């Protein structure tokens, strides 16, 4: 599956792709930043609430990095759909307001897909990793 980098501003593009998050029959179309530096997939808590998650009932942990300080994150098992492919993942949800997109990180995206960044061409190429299942 090939996705075009998203233009953020003049001269600025990022590997942001369309995704669908699913939980118990509820789904929402959203965008995720393909982030090789992120350990996990993390999304705003409000997105999780829209698919029926009781955020604070998830497994509580902390994360840092992009938010600049430690923030609470709550992990839930969900399904992520990318380009017609579905993958069960454990995703974090946070009430931090420090980011505009979900982060698609190592555990979740990179464990299920072979990811190739083609920055000069403005393309992210994702292929399901057949060795995973």
């Amino acid at each position: 599956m090939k996705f075009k980098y998203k233009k953020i501003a003049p001269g600025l593009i990022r590997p942001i792709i369309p995704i669908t998050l699913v939980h118990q029959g509820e789904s929402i179309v959203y965008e995720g930043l393909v982030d090789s530096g992120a350990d996990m997939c993390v999304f705003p808590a409000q997105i999780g609430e829209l698919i029926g998650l009781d955020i604070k009932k998830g497994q509580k942990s902390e994360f840092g990095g992009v938010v600049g300080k430690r923030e609470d994150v709550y992990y839930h098992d969900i399904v992520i759909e990318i380009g017609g492919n579905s993958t069960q993942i454990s995703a974090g949800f946070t009430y931090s307001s420090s980011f505009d997109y979900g982060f698609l990180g190592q555990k979740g995206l990179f464990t299920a897909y072979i990811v190739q960044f083609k920055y000069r061409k403005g393309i992210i190429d994702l292929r399901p990793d057949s060795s995973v299942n």
Side-chain angles (χ1 to χ4, degrees), residues 36-82:
S36 63
D39 294 322
M40 304 291 288
C41 294
V42 179
F43 303 97
Q46 295 81 356
I47 296 298
E49 290 169 348
L50 289 173
I51 59 172
L53 295 173
D54 185 345
I55 300 300
K56 291 191 175 181
K57 286 193 175 179
Q59 181 181 352
K60 185 179 177 182
S61 187
E62 289 186 335
F63 80 111
V66 298
V67 296
K69 62 179 180 168
R70 305 301 292 172
E71 296 275 358
D72 289 340
V73 64
Y74 302 88
Y75 288 96
H76 294 268
D77 291 334
I78 64 166
V79 171
I80 186 169
E81 295 176 355
I82 302 172

Side-chain angles (χ1 to χ4, degrees), residues 12-31:
L12 179 61
I13 59 173
R14 291 201 178 130
I16 296 170
I17 64 172
I19 59 174
T20 302
L21 302 180
V22 182
H23 175 71
Q24 296 182 349
E26 297 293 326
S27 65
I28 187 165
V29 176
Y30 194 58
E31 292 183 318

Side-chain angles (χ1 to χ4, degrees), residues 61-116:
S61 187
E62 289 186 335
F63 80 111
V66 298
V67 296
K69 62 179 180 168
R70 305 301 292 172
E71 296 275 358
D72 289 340
V73 64
Y74 302 88
Y75 288 96
H76 294 268
D77 291 334
I78 64 166
V79 171
I80 186 169
E81 295 176 355
I82 302 172
N85 294 295
S86 297
T87 305
Q88 175 97 21
I89 67 169
S90 178
F93 293 87
T94 180
Y95 288 98
S96 170
S97 60
S98 300
F99 53 91
D100 297 325
Y101 307 99
F103 289 93
L104 303 173
Q106 297 289 326
K107 292 182 182 175
L109 182 73
F110 288 78
T111 54
Y113 293 88
I114 297 167
V115 181
Q116 187 176 26

